[in-house]
Amino acid sequence: IMKQSFVLPFKFGTTLADKDEVSRILKDGAFLHKLIEQMRECAEIDVIATCQVPQILHEISEQEPEIVAIKQKMARKNRAQGAVEGEAPSGLARGGGDMSPHEDRILVGMLLAKTLKQRADAWRQTITEALRKHAAADAEHDLLDDTMILNNSFLIRQERKQEFFGSLEELDVLFQRKVHFKCVGPLPPYSFATVTLKRFDPLKMEEAARVLKLNGRAELSEVKRIYRDFSRKLHPDTNPGIPLEDFER
């Protein structure tokens, strides 16, 4: 369908009061028409990157000097404790800041978690920068579990699709299967078309106009200017004699 025409990026749950409200928004919604035109030649591509956490943790434990040193110290303690019963060997008795095996294991776990996060953050930045250069826009989404290091949407123009997928293939080679990529798309640009419409109570609008002393129709810039003027005049810091309720109103 998307090869033949542009799909409006409406999500399930988008509701309006009635047909009149739909017509009114479309009639006065120049911003909607502009948004749609900007995305007409674009599609959304979602990229999820995950890593095999046990494999990465094993690599870290074998490569990081600080972790390797602690593991070697733990191994020496275990050998010494196995060789001598009762009296602790010279230099291995606990004291002077020496940690127990339990504390050593906790420290190793903390260092593993810290290094894993650092690697995941660095990989995320590398992937994002490589793909972002082909995108008109990108959006980050929540990471759903510990294995996920990237969950992003990219808005790609039709003529940049091949470049985008080419960079994705290069990243797959770069990470040598340490990172697994899942690509979903092309999709309608759902992540880039969020528009919030707020209904205003006519009575409250009339009250606001009365407070701001507006007569008839006024441009938004004029309303903002008058609002700022009233805020300064009625602010307790600049005019402490004015009641607080007047400022809040």
Side-chain angles (χ1 to χ4, degrees), residues 242-249:
I242 293 179
L244 181 60
E245 56 268 19
D246 287 352
F247 171 71
E248 293 176 345
R249 181 162 59 92

Side-chain angles (χ1 to χ4, degrees), residues 21-143:
E21 189 171 42
V22 175
S23 299
R24 187 165 61 255
I25 290 173
L26 293 177
K27 181 180 178 180
D28 299 330
F31 68 97
L32 284 176
H33 295 285
K34 182 179 180 181
L35 181 63
I36 290 173
E37 287 303 317
Q38 289 175 343
M39 295 187 296
R40 185 175 292 278
E41 299 301 323
C42 298
E44 176 177 325
I45 297 176
D46 295 343
V47 177
I48 297 173
T50 59
C51 66
Q52 297 292 332
V53 173
Q55 175 187 343
I56 304 302
L57 289 177
H58 177 72
E59 289 184 5
I60 293 172
S61 69
E62 298 297 321
Q63 296 171 358
E64 288 298 314
E66 187 175 3
I67 296 176
V68 171
I70 297 173
K71 288 173 63 178
Q72 290 173 346
K73 183 182 70 172
M74 293 170 63
R76 288 196 299 269
K77 287 182 180 180
N78 290 334
R79 288 195 298 269
Q81 289 172 356
V84 179
E85 292 291 337
E87 183 180 354
S90 177
L92 288 178
R94 193 178 175 198
D98 193 21
M99 295 190 297
S100 69
H102 177 67
E103 290 170 330
D104 284 332
R105 287 192 292 271
I106 292 176
L107 179 57
V108 169
M110 292 173 61
L111 291 172
L112 284 170
K114 177 183 176 181
T115 307
L116 177 63
K117 183 180 185 305
Q118 290 174 340
R119 290 196 181 187
D121 290 344
W123 292 347
R124 184 183 308 109
Q125 182 176 352
T126 298
I127 297 167
T128 301
E129 290 178 354
L131 299 178
R132 179 179 285 161
K133 63 185 180 182
H134 306 297
D138 62 280
E140 295 183 2
H141 305 299
D142 293 337
L143 303 179

Side-chain angles (χ1 to χ4, degrees), residues 4-240:
Q4 301 174 356
S5 59
F6 177 72
V7 178
L8 289 174
F10 278 97
K11 295 182 179 180
F12 290 111
T14 301
T15 61
L16 293 171
D18 49 39
K19 291 183 178 179
D20 290 339
E21 189 171 42
V22 175
S23 299
R24 187 165 61 255
I25 290 173
L26 293 177
K27 181 180 178 180
D28 299 330
F31 68 97
L32 284 176
H33 295 285
K34 182 179 180 181
L35 181 63
I36 290 173
E37 287 303 317
Q38 289 175 343
M39 295 187 296
R40 185 175 292 278
E41 299 301 323
C42 298
E44 176 177 325
I45 297 176
D46 295 343
V47 177
I48 297 173
T50 59
C51 66
Q52 297 292 332
V53 173
Q55 175 187 343
I56 304 302
L57 289 177
H58 177 72
E59 289 184 5
I60 293 172
S61 69
E62 298 297 321
Q63 296 171 358
E64 288 298 314
E66 187 175 3
I67 296 176
V68 171
I70 297 173
K71 288 173 63 178
Q72 290 173 346
K73 183 182 70 172
M74 293 170 63
R76 288 196 299 269
K77 287 182 180 180
N78 290 334
R79 288 195 298 269
Q81 289 172 356
V84 179
E85 292 291 337
E87 183 180 354
S90 177
L92 288 178
R94 193 178 175 198
D98 193 21
M99 295 190 297
S100 69
H102 177 67
E103 290 170 330
D104 284 332
R105 287 192 292 271
I106 292 176
L107 179 57
V108 169
M110 292 173 61
L111 291 172
L112 284 170
K114 177 183 176 181
T115 307
L116 177 63
K117 183 180 185 305
Q118 290 174 340
R119 290 196 181 187
D121 290 344
W123 292 347
R124 184 183 308 109
Q125 182 176 352
T126 298
I127 297 167
T128 301
E129 290 178 354
L131 299 178
R132 179 179 285 161
K133 63 185 180 182
H134 306 297
D138 62 280
E140 295 183 2
H141 305 299
D142 293 337
L143 303 179
L144 303 182
D145 56 47
D146 292 337
T147 67
M148 191 177 292
I149 62 175
L150 180 87
N151 183 15
N152 283 23
S153 297
F154 297 88
L155 187 66
I156 308 297
R157 299 190 65 83
Q158 297 293 338
E159 64 270 17
R160 303 296 299 272
K161 279 185 181 179
Q162 292 305 316
E163 297 175 8
F164 180 85
F165 288 122
S167 287
L168 201 55
E169 292 177 359
E170 292 173 0
L171 288 168
D172 190 41
V173 173
L174 174 66
F175 285 102
Q176 301 177 346
R177 301 190 181 279
K178 292 181 182 178
V179 176
H180 299 273
F181 295 94
K182 179 180 180 181
C183 184
V184 180
L187 302 168
Y190 295 121
S191 298
F192 306 93
T194 301
V195 176
T196 301
L197 300 175
K198 185 175 181 180
R199 295 184 180 91
F200 292 96
D201 186 337
L203 295 178
K204 291 184 178 180
M205 292 288 288
E206 292 179 5
E207 171 67 10
R210 186 184 64 78
V211 170
L212 296 177
K213 296 182 170 55
L214 296 174
N215 295 317
R217 188 178 181 86
E219 295 294 330
L220 179 60
S221 59
E222 179 68 6
V223 174
K224 288 182 178 180
R225 184 189 65 78
I226 296 174
Y227 175 80
R228 286 194 295 267
D229 289 344
F230 269 92
S231 296
R232 283 193 293 268
K233 292 177 182 177
L234 299 176
H235 199 283
D237 291 343
T238 57
N239 200 336

